[in-house]
Amino acid sequence: MRSRHGVAAVLTAAALLAVACSGAPSDQSEPAPAGAGSPPAAGVTPAAATDPAADVDARDDGAAGGPEPVRIGVIMAAGGRLAPHDGPVLDALAYAVRQANSSGGLRGRPLELLFEDSDSELNTAHAATRRLIDRDVTVIFTSCDPYFSRPVREAAHGAGTLVIVPCGPEPLPTLAAGRDRVFSAGTSAQAYGRALAEYAVDAGIFSAATLVEADRAEAVQMCDSFDRRFAELGGSRGFTLRFDRFWIAAQPVVGAQATARALERAAEHPAVVLCAAVGGRGIRMFELLRSAGIGTEVLAPAALDGVAWQRGIFGLEPLTVITEASTFGDDPSAQVNAYFASIITGDLRREPESAGRDVDPRGLAQVEDRVGWAVTGAEALWIFIRAVQRTASLDPAVLAADIERFEDVELWMDSATFSPSRHAVSGRALRVIRHDGGASRLIELRIPTGF
């Protein structure tokens, strides 16, 4: 059965193809978020960002007389285990593509989004990469999961193609010198760990228990970074529990009393730091902590971001989440507020011309679909857009070299910095979301030091 996220994303991509291939800008405007300030007007690009069509270059006209599109490839999952993760990211990326095309495209050329469904299969993803390379895509955006993106990165490396991963850990080399054209628009696990430590100390917390999703390298790196930074700031880590999918699965069998005994020492500390990866078991661990009767303050990264599950945790607070964006209409970026408003109204997913009359894409979009970390899909597209604007080139080597020189470059919602030694975003202001008393709100912005 396909995920609602994944099906909606496919419909969005299909609609975008029609816009991109026509070469004509869309006249559809983005919805205004209620009470969130003024979003960009129709056809206007993000605040504090220049028009993607700046320095218009419409050479290589297509056979129909219009400018040749800039082909961008996307390999994500509309089916299988990755669909709930990839779907929201693809929605944000597709939203940003439509915005760029509605304001003239990229250097006067429309963006053509070529979507390939990996169906959460490694072989399918590898074959899809070969097809996109054969179609001369300029860049490939792929799944945030490092295991499932690996065949894409390997095939792209052989062809010299630029790859941008919207979120997840910093992409490590898959082949010798294989990282030089692979970048991540997401915040690194190490930066998340430092942000959690710095927030804890600023909140007056100097002793913490840690719960670590031990079978996810990203979560382990996050807690290691938290430990180092927390110690530097005078904090001390006490009790630590390392859990994995087997530990979680065993709890209904061992029983509530055994679970409570395993977790009881966490209550000795004023806060619990839950290090978990998006798409992992962080939410279930949080629920187990509360079911064991431990009401301690919990600090968590984007793994506990989202709206769908929050209805079940009201009353289980306090919980503080550090993530990429606020989904509650109070984000400092008007772009972010407009995007999440479009999910609430259903305006993001419009019916493609080829769809039957009985299909209503708005029925696929629910308020519960909102996750703050998904905005990195749009940020990933804007990394590519900015590099093309800055270099007037579509050569992957030129673009990769330029991205390594990004220093506080304005993207879709925020600024970003890269370097030759760091291919994950640094310098981004993370959002600190507080859930308490049945209410959720943004309480501050935080840029991790040293990243």
Side-chain angles (χ1 to χ4, degrees):
M1 179 176 180
R2 287 183 182 270
S3 155
R4 248 185 319 117
H5 292 297
V7 175
V10 172
L11 289 174
T12 306
L16 284 166
L17 284 174
V19 174
C21 292
S22 70
S26 166
D27 60 358
Q28 294 170 322
S29 62
E30 307 302 341
S38 301
V44 177
T45 53
T50 59
D51 193 324
D55 301 323
V56 171
D57 180 358
R59 60 188 175 216
D60 300 325
D61 286 355
E68 182 75 14
V70 176
R71 295 180 178 87
I72 61 174
V74 178
I75 304 172
M76 294 186 188
R81 57 175 287 196
L82 291 183
H85 192 189
D86 284 0
V89 174
L90 178 56
D91 278 344
L93 191 153
Y95 178 96
V97 168
R98 193 178 78 226
Q99 282 189 317
N101 282 337
S102 71
S103 55
L106 179 56
R107 296 180 62 82
R109 298 167 61 179
L111 293 170
E112 182 179 3
L113 190 158
L114 304 180
F115 173 70
E116 289 273 358
D117 181 7
S118 73
D119 203 33
S120 303
E121 295 288 341
L122 296 176
N123 290 340
T124 302
H126 186 271
T129 310
R130 299 308 316 171
R131 286 193 297 272
L132 290 176
I133 291 170
D134 289 343
R135 296 187 69 179
D136 295 323
V137 296
T138 305
V139 60
I140 294 176
F141 301 92
T142 189
S143 172
C144 299
D145 187 287
Y147 178 72
F148 283 91
S149 69
R150 183 183 179 98
V152 177
R153 289 180 281 126
E154 288 181 343
H157 171 80
T161 304
L162 178 67
V163 175
I164 301 177
V165 183
C167 52
E170 181 173 6
L172 298 175
T174 50
L175 298 168
R179 196 184 69 172
D180 54 343
R181 296 183 188 176
V182 183
F183 297 85
S184 172
T187 303
S188 70
Q190 293 88 342
Y192 263 117
R194 292 179 71 90
L196 287 164
E198 290 162 2
Y199 172 80
V201 170
D202 286 351
I205 298 169
F206 288 91
S207 175
T210 52
L211 305 179
V212 188
E213 189 179 5
D215 53 345
R216 297 294 294 267
E218 181 180 355
V220 174
Q221 292 168 4
M222 187 183 302
C223 248
D224 287 347
S225 178
F226 169 83
D227 288 346
R228 289 191 296 270
R229 185 60 177 148
F230 199 45
E232 290 172 357
L233 297 173
S236 63
R237 177 177 58 83
F239 170 72
T240 294
L241 175 70
R242 297 170 67 86
F243 65 93
D244 57 20
R245 62 186 181 276
F246 302 110
W247 192 92
I248 293 287
Q251 298 317 297
V253 178
V254 302
Q257 289 185 343
T259 301
R261 284 196 299 271
L263 293 169
E264 63 185 359
R265 288 186 55 199
E268 299 171 3
H269 303 272
V272 172
V273 176
L274 206 170
C275 297
V278 170
R281 290 156 292 277
I283 293 171
R284 179 60 182 145
M285 192 67 219
F286 176 74
E287 292 171 342
L288 286 171
L289 188 72
R290 292 305 191 228
S291 68
I294 299 172
T296 306
E297 172 80 36
V298 173
L299 311 181
L304 270 72
D305 178 24
V307 173
W309 65 275
Q310 286 172 7
R311 298 186 186 280
I313 63 99
F314 287 150
L316 302 182
E317 308 98 327
L319 169 66
T320 301
V321 174
I322 298 181
T323 185
E324 307 282 353
S326 172
T327 66
F328 301 100
D330 56 0
D331 196 275
S333 167
Q335 279 287 86
V336 169
N337 294 328
Y339 169 62
F340 288 118
S342 77
I343 295 179
I344 295 172
T345 62
D347 191 54
L348 173 62
R349 292 97 166 183
R350 296 191 176 88
E351 184 176 351
E353 294 179 2
S354 60
R357 290 297 165 194
D358 59 338
V359 176
D360 182 4
R362 287 187 291 183
L364 301 170
Q366 305 294 331
V367 174
E368 288 82 0
D369 290 337
R370 293 174 293 161
V371 286
W373 49 261
V375 297
T376 56
E379 291 285 87
L381 177 73
W382 270 80
I383 291 170
F384 170 70
I385 285 176
R386 282 298 191 211
V388 174
Q389 288 178 338
R390 286 157 53 104
T391 63
S393 174
L394 292 176
D395 184 303
V398 173
L399 297 177
D402 184 67
I403 294 170
E404 290 184 336
R405 293 191 292 269
F406 276 23
E407 184 172 352
D408 291 328
V409 173
E410 289 292 333
L411 301 176
W412 181 78
M413 60 164 282
D414 214 327
S415 61
T417 296
F418 291 92
S419 72
S421 61
R422 187 176 300 281
H423 279 209
V425 164
S426 62
R428 174 182 289 147
L430 296 172
R431 278 56 168 167
V432 181
I433 311 296
R434 177 73 172 172
H435 304 286
D436 202 2
S440 303
R441 63 187 179 90
L442 173 72
I443 59 172
E444 67 173 76
L445 301 181
R446 180 166 292 272
I447 299 175
T449 61
F451 282 86

